[in-house]
Amino acid sequence: MTFTAYLNYRTGRLVTSMGGHTPFGGTEAAYGIPPAAVLTANQNDTPQLRLRVFDPYQDNEAILLPAGTTLRAVLKPWNDHLADPLAAIEDDAWDKPADLDDNPATDLTDDPAGFYLGTLDLSGDDLAALLAAGIAQAYGHLQIEINLSGDIRSSQWVPLMVLSDVARSTDGAVVSSTQPTPSAPLYYKAITALTGGGTTALDGISTVGKTKLLVELYVDDELQTWRLFEATTAEDAANGIVRPDDYNASTNAQVWKRLR
């Protein structure tokens, strides 16, 4: 299992395949129960985290972290961001790219290289304690920490639900046996418009045969998130609805809807 994420180096915004996160600078308690659309993994899994860092001040290009930077990914309980990590990828455990052509991800169609690769071990005792008998799942939050000479930058929190790896029929636990398969997020740096077709517009992205596609793009100097939904809604780009050019009411009834 692989989680792909994009980190805005300036703002700390962390975008994943499910897109969910709490506002930067807030507290989990202020936002209640985590949303349903979260990243999901099984207890004792070792998912790979594939992280790409980009800088909006450099034409949204991917960047390498400055020399001397330490990189850390942590999973903490949802309701306690000051707690010790349930799992972590420490700086020396990352496979760091030597340049922006290193560490390719061939399953992505845009910006396929320059990823930081790490493995998150979900078999720890602290996590097991949260998934005691009768507990089917536990919410946590995933966060990236960057430390450059004592200047620590932390990303926004992304919800991560860990499912118990044992279905305990005697104590009533109900555990999902399958994992969701959301499409990987695609960052389209060439797109500068919502409509108009071609390679520089959202409606020009091919959508036939694709479902729930999630894309990130910059339009009007604003980072926007759009997801593909099954719908026949008329186009209204100003209010967050765009029909792809290959829309067809019978064979490809899908529209783009803006999430943020």
Side-chain angles (χ1 to χ4, degrees):
M1 175 183 294
T2 299
F3 296 148
T4 301
Y6 296 87
L7 178 65
N8 185 320
Y9 184 69
R10 301 291 178 175
T11 68
R13 187 163 190 263
L14 186 64
V15 180
T16 70
S17 55
M18 297 307 293
H21 62 268
T22 59
F24 182 64
T27 63
E28 289 90 338
Y31 299 99
I33 298 173
V38 298
L39 299 172
T40 308
N42 277 327
Q43 181 186 7
N44 294 319
D45 273 358
T46 53
Q48 181 187 67
L49 179 59
R50 186 167 55 192
L51 178 69
R52 201 163 196 264
V53 184
F54 71 95
D55 189 343
Y57 294 173
Q58 296 185 21
D59 297 324
N60 304 318
E61 294 289 346
I63 63 170
L64 297 180
L65 293 172
T69 300
T70 58
L71 177 65
R72 190 173 186 238
V74 295
L75 174 65
K76 295 186 176 183
W78 176 260
N79 60 355
D80 190 356
H81 71 276
L82 297 178
D84 291 333
L86 301 169
I89 307 173
E90 302 295 347
D91 182 70
D92 60 0
W94 290 91
D95 177 3
K96 299 180 179 180
D99 53 53
L100 292 178
D101 294 322
D102 196 15
N103 286 355
T106 55
D107 58 318
L108 300 180
T109 60
D110 196 52
D111 291 334
F115 285 92
Y116 291 78
L117 307 175
T119 299
L120 196 64
D121 186 352
L122 301 179
S123 62
D125 292 340
D126 291 338
L127 188 55
L130 289 181
L131 293 168
I135 305 299
Q137 60 196 34
Y139 278 106
H141 69 256
L142 185 66
Q143 189 174 41
I144 304 298
E145 297 176 355
I146 296 173
N147 187 336
L148 177 58
S149 302
D151 177 16
I152 300 177
R153 303 182 184 185
S154 297
S155 74
Q156 293 164 313
W157 306 304
V158 172
L160 174 64
M161 183 173 67
V162 181
L163 304 175
S164 172
D165 66 342
V166 178
R168 304 176 179 90
S169 58
T170 57
D171 57 31
V174 179
V175 180
S176 173
S177 60
T178 60
Q179 296 296 311
T181 54
S183 58
L186 301 181
Y187 174 54
Y188 284 83
K189 65 181 181 181
I191 289 182
T192 57
L194 299 177
T195 60
T199 58
T200 60
L202 175 62
D203 63 1
I205 298 175
S206 173
T207 64
V208 174
K210 300 175 183 177
T211 59
K212 297 182 179 180
L213 185 65
L214 181 73
V215 301
E216 292 282 328
L217 47 96
Y218 262 88
V219 174
D220 296 328
D221 296 322
E222 180 183 34
L223 181 63
Q224 300 183 8
T225 305
W226 293 74
R227 186 182 284 279
L228 193 63
F229 289 90
E230 292 184 8
T232 57
T233 313
E235 183 165 277
D236 186 359
N239 290 301
I241 304 292
V242 170
R243 277 188 176 182
D245 285 349
D246 54 10
Y247 171 88
N248 184 289
S250 299
T251 62
N252 189 37
Q254 302 189 98
V255 301
W256 294 106
K257 294 185 180 181
R258 185 175 176 180
L259 302 183
R260 61 181 60 85

